[in-house]
Amino acid sequence: QVQFAESGGGLVQPGGSLRLSCAASGFTFGRFAMSWHRQAPGKERELVAQISSSGVLIYYADSMKGRFTISRDNDKNTVYLEMNRLKPEDTAVYYCNAAPVWGGKVYDYWGQGTQVTVSS
């Protein structure tokens, strides 16, 4: 079955950096667009970034542009999110997911996510 295993979160000071990883299984990774999402307390889950199956197409939500970088390794079935210049408002649980087409609906299944806390 589909599985997502997110890791790399933690507590970081404002202005700091983190690199998140998501190991995916249960589907043909190299044929799916991959995405990162986040959910802050009391807020709905939101799309952070998406990368196409080949890595050619990339999308970032406006507030992440210039600070976050999404990448993928199709040999390792893993997608990454490099986060720089972190702000307190980036505090959230971060999840990855997959869609069969660019911009398409992601799986209904979500992993445990990884907690990112930005605080001094």
Side-chain angles (χ1 to χ4, degrees):
Q1 76 257 32
V2 173
Q3 290 191 334
F4 302 110
E6 300 92 347
S7 61
L11 173 63
V12 63
Q13 292 187 343
S17 300
L18 282 174
R19 188 191 195 211
L20 307 183
S21 299
C22 170
S25 61
F27 60 99
T28 307
F29 182 86
R31 294 182 179 177
F32 279 67
M34 294 299 297
S35 53
W36 282 97
H37 308 251
R38 70 184 185 185
Q39 187 166 22
K43 295 187 177 181
E44 291 189 356
R45 186 149 37 204
E46 63 175 340
L47 175 64
V48 172
Q50 188 177 36
I51 185 168
S52 63
S53 57
S54 64
V56 172
L57 298 177
I58 290 178
Y59 164 84
Y60 296 104
D62 286 344
S63 61
M64 290 66 162
K65 288 179 181 177
R67 299 190 301 124
F68 291 9
T69 302
I70 188 171
S71 61
R72 65 188 294 160
D73 186 334
N74 286 350
D75 290 334
K76 296 182 178 179
N77 286 7
T78 301
V79 62
Y80 305 96
L81 186 69
E82 183 80 29
M83 305 186 295
N84 298 309
R85 303 201 307 276
L86 283 162
K87 306 174 181 179
E89 51 264 44
D90 294 319
T91 295
V93 180
Y94 285 69
Y95 305 87
C96 70
N97 210 311
V101 296
W102 174 255
K105 185 180 182 298
V106 299
Y107 281 109
D108 290 331
Y109 168 80
W110 295 88
Q112 296 284 341
T114 186
Q115 174 70 50
V116 171
T117 302
V118 184
S119 175
S120 55

